[in-house]
Amino acid sequence: MPFYVRLGDVPRKRHIQFRDNGRLLTEEVMGLEGFSGNESILYHLQSPCRVMKVAEFAPIVREEWVPDTHAHRLFNTYDVEPESDEVTGRRVLMWNADVEISFCRPTESADYFFRNGEGDEVIFVHEGSGTLETIFGDVPYKDGDYLVIPRGTTYRFRPEGDQRYLVFETPGLIEIPRRYRNQYGQILEGAPYYHRDIHPPATLNTHEERGEFPVKVRVRGGYQTYVLDYHPFDVVGWDGYLYPWTFSIHDFEPITGRIHQPPPSHQTFQGRNFVICSFCPRKLDYDPLAVPIPYHHSNLQSEEMIYYVSGNFGSRKGVNVGSITLHPSGLPHGPQPGLAEKSIGMTETGELAVMCDTFHPLRLSTFAAGLDDGKYAYSWYEPADADPSTAGATSHF
């Protein structure tokens, strides 16, 4: 994060004695890239190494689907039945060495704490609200929020109402795009959002309860459970540049132009060999000769996944709220027949979607196979005697 946050009580200087009612507190430096990356310093009532029991290890098993053909695909997730909790209910759709993309529609809240020891997380909240309780404090969230959770953060959800998430997990770092920041880390004028749009933990609640508290940690390709005899949210204060935060897709300010802007104008986050973009309601291109719809393009070095959040997607048969399109590398894609002509004269769009572009191929899961409509690759096909004017409404992705 490019700005400093402090919550609770911290001593005058780093690495000096700090006591609570005479008890020496335990200082923890949580940082990235050795001691040269972003870090925060937390002060605990207990040693964060204290473990009452090392319990079971459960490996993560991904069942891969290797299609017989290389083609554009459409997956419909909206009617997927809810199951499990906010962590074990994540069902992998696609993945590579840089990012794992999952769909989650939990039926219950986890009765344990969770920590991802393998990577950063971005959780897009399509539906639902609540509080992400973390070791850094409470992070309220609502539908449309991106929850950005750095590795090593112990947390649990306290949801309100039904929940629906799209989850990105990466062994790399989730960052604000570097072209949006100056050399000091401040977000630039002209960037599509600002520091005021970023919401760090709001309140810090220090817990002193004793008992048995399971913590599930994702590490080494599985979930390792530990049992603590103290509440893991025992931090009395912290400060630094590493912490969880939210950013609302509704606070993204679209960059528009006289003619159509390329997909990087919608970039919201950058990861290792992938980006996450937000397509938001916006004014369309205003040149008298503009075609206010994307030009055809070929993903020669990348794969494009789009998750449709809200708006009118009637232009593409079967593409509705909760649908996912995947345009794999090596194939061109763009507007379907008749849509470019139909878009001329339109001045705005109200569609909302989340896109992930990867620079290495994605592998598909058997869960995704069960959601594949099997017809999307033919949606550009138009028989010679068809009337292009009868094509559906316009989509602006």
Side-chain angles (χ1 to χ4, degrees), residues 61-80:
V61 178
R62 300 190 189 97
E63 296 181 351
E64 184 175 4
W65 171 47
V66 182
D68 294 332
T69 57
H70 185 72
H72 297 310
R73 301 199 175 272
L74 170 66
F75 311 99
N76 293 303
T77 70
Y78 194 78
D79 292 326
V80 168

Side-chain angles (χ1 to χ4, degrees), residues 5 11 70 105 107 116 140 143 180 216 258 266 287 324 355:
V5 171
H70 185 72
R105 195 180 178 196
T107 56
N116 195 325
D143 61 276
Y180 295 168
K216 190 187 297 287
R258 187 168 58 86
H266 305 283
D287 186 275
I324 293 173
M355 182 176 80

